[in-house]
Amino acid sequence: LSFFRTFDVFVMASKREGLCTSVLDAFLMKVPVVSTDAGGLAEIVEGRGILCKRGDPMAIADGIMKILEDEELRRELVERAYRYVVEHHSVQKMVERYVEIYRSVLGA
């Protein structure tokens, strides 16, 4: 993950995607994200990065420029994304969710 620190922006330009853990890694490493709205990306990036329509390279380019030129926006998105990944996708949170599922199944 240390190579993420060399990025100014992480770009995910997928046309099809499930849940892209690379975006979560970028969030964790506090790298701003510009992404298409493919699959699960729309849900995790919305409000935490710049979200663009699939197949629109100009929107992606505009998103990259916005991130690079607007320091305040970049800082807000990075902090929001970091909090999200820690609160919802950390190993501890995932373990807690699995335990809840197992308890509900065993209790039924």
Side-chain angles (χ1 to χ4, degrees), residues 9-22:
V9 180
F10 180 81
V11 178
M12 180 58 68
S14 297
K15 290 184 179 181
R16 293 190 181 122
E17 194 69 53
L19 172 62
C20 181
T21 58
S22 295

Side-chain angles (χ1 to χ4, degrees), residues 27-102:
F27 286 175
L28 186 61
M29 299 307 292
K30 295 188 173 185
V31 176
V33 172
V34 174
S35 174
T36 60
D37 59 359
L41 292 170
E43 184 179 330
I44 63 171
V45 174
E46 183 67 44
R48 300 173 191 98
I50 303 290
L51 195 60
C52 308
K53 286 203 172 283
R54 285 172 283 179
D56 188 348
M58 288 308 297
I60 293 170
D62 289 344
I64 293 168
M65 291 309 297
K66 189 178 229 181
I67 288 286
L68 293 175
E69 292 173 349
D70 190 337
E71 185 177 337
E72 185 177 336
L73 174 66
R74 182 173 60 248
R75 187 174 36 251
E76 287 173 12
L77 292 174
V78 162
E79 287 305 316
R80 198 175 304 141
Y82 178 79
R83 282 193 313 273
Y84 168 77
V85 78
V86 168
E87 292 172 8
H88 297 282
H89 293 279
S90 69
V91 171
Q92 181 63 36
K93 287 294 180 182
M94 299 304 284
V95 168
E96 289 172 9
R97 287 190 189 128
Y98 279 115
V99 169
E100 286 177 27
I101 291 169
Y102 292 142

